[in-house]
Amino acid sequence: MKLASYNIQCGFGLDERYDLERIVANLAGADIIALQEVTRGFVRNGRTDMVAAIEVLLPDYYSIYGTGLDLLPPGAGPRDLRFQFGNMVLSRWPILATRTLLLPRSRMLSKLNLQRVAVEAVIDAPGGAVRVYSVHLDHVSPDERIRQIHYLKDRAINFVRDGGSLTGAVEIDFDDPPLPEDFILMGDFNMVPESPEYCALAGLKDAFYGRMPRFDVPTDTLDAVGALKPEAYSWMDPKDRNKRMHLDYCFISCGLSDRLRSAHVDIDAEGSDHFPVWVEIDG
C-alpha cells in the first residue's frame, strides 16, 4: 500500500507556474493520496475548481474534499463558485465514510489565519479498513499548532469510542461503516522536527531508547526509517531555494509500525513549494 501526501500550493510550482497535470504526475503509483491547499473559486488560480479538475485527472480514484474556509468572493453571483480552501483524500479503494474535523483556531488581526481542517477517510483497503487523515495545521503560531495537535490526537485515538461519522445506521437502512483502530495522519504540519509541537504529537525522545511505539503516540514514519536527518527538508522557498524546512510528515498508529516498509520525501518534484512525502505499508 503506497501512500503520498502533498501540499500542492493551490496548483503553483517552484517556478510559480500553475500546472495540475505536473502535480498529478508527481503522484503516479500512489494508492492513497492526501492533498492540502486545494481550492475552488480562488482568484489567484483563475477561480478554478481544483477538486473537479483533480477528479478528471484521476478518474479511477474515489475522492473526498473537506474545507474549513468557505467565502462568497466580492461581486460573485448566486451560482458562482464560492472561495473554498481545504484538503482532499483520494483512494484506489472505496472511501466508506468521512468527516471534516475543524481544528481549534484563534482570531488574528495582522496575519492571515484560516480555519484549518483534518479530513478523515475510512478506506476499504485490501488488508482491512484503515483511517487516513489529510492534515493542514496553522502556519503562524506554535501555540495554535499544539492545540490543534491535541485535538487531532484525541479524535484519532478515540475514534472507535466516538463512533466516527455514523453509528446506528440500521435506522436509515444502512450498515454501520467499519471502525478501524489503526490510522494514518498525513499532511503539512507546519512544524520542524523536535519542536515543541512535534514532540506534542510524536512524544519526547528518550536518550537511551529513542521513541518507542505506544498506543497514544503516533510514529513518524520518516524518523522510524532514519530519513529525518538534520539536512532533510520538504519545503523550499521558490524565491530563494537555499531556504528549506521540513514541514510535511506521515504519522502512523502503533498498530501499523511493524507494517512500515519505507518512507521518503521526493525532492525532485517541482509541482509545488512543498515536496511529496511517500510511505509504503504492507496492506
Side-chain angles (χ1 to χ4, degrees):
M1 185 166 63
K2 294 181 179 179
L3 305 100
S5 177
Y6 203 1
N7 178 329
I8 60 174
Q9 199 196 196
C10 308
F12 293 100
L14 278 173
D15 55 7
E16 301 184 351
R17 180 170 55 87
Y18 180 85
D19 189 343
L20 272 186
E21 288 82 1
R22 174 173 57 180
I23 287 169
V24 168
N26 291 158
L27 298 167
D31 298 307
I32 297 172
I33 299 166
L35 301 178
Q36 303 84 47
E37 295 198 22
V38 183
T39 65
R40 285 173 164 152
F42 190 25
V43 65
R44 292 186 181 176
N45 59 17
R47 296 189 171 89
T48 300
D49 185 340
M50 292 184 68
V51 176
I54 290 168
E55 289 173 341
V56 167
L57 292 169
L58 293 169
D60 297 328
Y61 286 72
Y62 298 85
S63 70
I64 56 170
Y65 178 62
T67 178
L69 172 68
D70 188 318
L71 299 174
L72 184 68
R79 296 295 175 264
D80 291 335
L81 273 179
R82 299 176 65 87
F83 173 37
Q84 297 179 339
F85 179 96
N87 308 345
M88 290 186 76
V89 176
L90 299 105
S91 169
R92 294 189 190 277
W93 307 298
I95 299 175
L96 302 177
T98 179
R99 293 186 298 176
T100 297
L101 305 178
L102 300 181
L103 302 178
R105 66 179 294 272
S106 55
R107 182 182 180 187
M108 290 187 183
L109 301 179
S110 61
K111 187 69 176 176
L112 183 67
N113 186 25
L114 311 175
Q115 173 63 61
R116 306 293 179 143
V117 299
V119 177
E120 174 189 276
V122 177
I123 296 174
D124 188 18
V130 66
R131 276 181 289 138
V132 172
Y133 295 80
S134 181
V135 180
H136 194 188
L137 300 188
D138 177 75
H139 70 297
V140 175
S141 168
D143 294 334
E144 192 112 305
R145 288 193 289 274
I146 287 175
R147 286 193 294 270
Q148 293 172 344
I149 284 167
H150 286 318
Y151 178 85
L152 181 60
K153 281 180 66 176
D154 185 61
R155 296 280 73 73
I157 292 167
N158 293 306
F159 170 85
V160 176
R161 179 200 68 188
D162 295 344
S165 61
L166 177 71
T167 54
V170 64
E171 190 171 334
I172 55 172
D173 300 322
F174 273 78
D175 293 326
D176 278 7
L179 299 174
E181 190 167 278
D182 287 320
F183 61 86
I184 301 164
L185 306 172
M186 299 194 293
D188 175 6
F189 289 78
N190 273 313
M191 62 188 183
V192 296
E194 305 305 327
S195 62
E197 55 267 44
Y198 177 92
C199 293
L201 183 55
L204 293 169
K205 183 177 288 188
D206 183 81
F208 186 79
Y209 291 104
R211 287 189 175 91
M212 301 298 293
R214 291 186 289 167
F215 181 81
D216 61 347
V217 180
T219 297
D220 179 356
T221 57
L222 292 166
D223 187 40
V225 301
L228 203 61
K229 299 176 181 178
E231 66 273 15
Y233 61 92
S234 69
W235 171 87
M236 180 183 291
D237 187 340
K239 294 181 171 57
D240 181 357
R241 297 195 179 192
N242 291 315
K243 290 183 179 179
R244 303 170 178 178
M245 289 191 292
H246 189 88
L247 304 174
D248 304 84
Y249 303 85
C250 175
F251 294 89
I252 58 176
S253 57
C254 64
L256 295 174
S257 295
D258 62 350
R259 293 164 57 183
L260 175 64
R261 291 295 168 258
S262 66
H264 73 280
V265 179
D266 178 11
I267 58 173
D268 293 325
E270 294 201 349
S272 171
D273 58 346
H274 289 252
F275 300 94
V277 176
W278 283 84
V279 173
E280 187 169 3
I281 297 171
D282 282 347

